[in-house]
Amino acid sequence: MLIGELSRRTGVGTRLLRYYEAQGLLTSVRRGNGYRDYDEDAVPTVRQVRALLAAGLSTEVIRTVLPCARGEGPGLGFDWCAGIRDVLHGELAAADARIDALRRSRGTLAGYLEHP
């Protein structure tokens, strides 16, 4: 399918689809006219990428875990390939650290507002 069809089927703009391809998250073959041609597997792959981005993962991490992703949407899961649990545990720990830093910042700001 052409990039426009993939965009229509996934709701993801063509610019983002090109970006995903540049990041190694999506593959296509070039037709003789230079157009990108995607196979049917591109639709669930794009949906998996979107779900993983929504979970806060970077494209670099997604490139690592995507080959092990299965399903899409709320049913997204993983075949537990070597090292994937460690990667996701590391990402969870980093998210917890960011949350803690935001809580501290929020507490400081709230403290400023308590004193007129």
Side-chain angles (χ1 to χ4, degrees):
M1 83 188 80
L2 296 176
I3 196 167
E5 174 69 8
L6 181 58
S7 175
R8 186 187 65 72
R9 290 178 60 184
T10 60
V12 175
T14 57
R15 187 173 179 190
L16 268 178
L17 293 173
R18 284 189 212 82
Y19 174 74
Y20 295 164
E21 191 169 345
Q23 294 299 305
L25 307 176
L26 190 59
T27 57
S28 69
V29 246
R30 293 292 184 142
R31 293 181 172 186
N33 59 8
Y35 290 0
R36 289 173 169 86
D37 191 15
Y38 298 92
D39 63 22
E40 284 296 317
D41 290 341
V43 173
T45 298
V46 170
R47 291 181 180 148
Q48 290 168 343
V49 168
R50 299 298 292 171
L52 294 167
L53 285 167
L57 299 180
S58 68
T59 56
E60 183 179 338
V61 172
I62 292 172
R63 190 172 39 253
T64 301
V65 301
L66 190 59
C68 302
R70 298 294 172 258
E72 24 179 302
L76 181 68
F78 293 93
D79 288 337
W80 294 108
C81 307
I84 296 301
R85 281 189 189 275
D86 291 339
V87 169
L88 293 178
H89 278 296
E91 291 299 310
L92 183 59
D96 286 340
R98 289 190 304 272
I99 289 168
D100 290 343
L102 285 170
R103 282 190 178 128
R104 284 190 304 276
S105 294
R106 187 193 184 288
T108 301
L109 289 170
Y112 294 155
L113 292 170
E114 288 176 3
H115 303 289

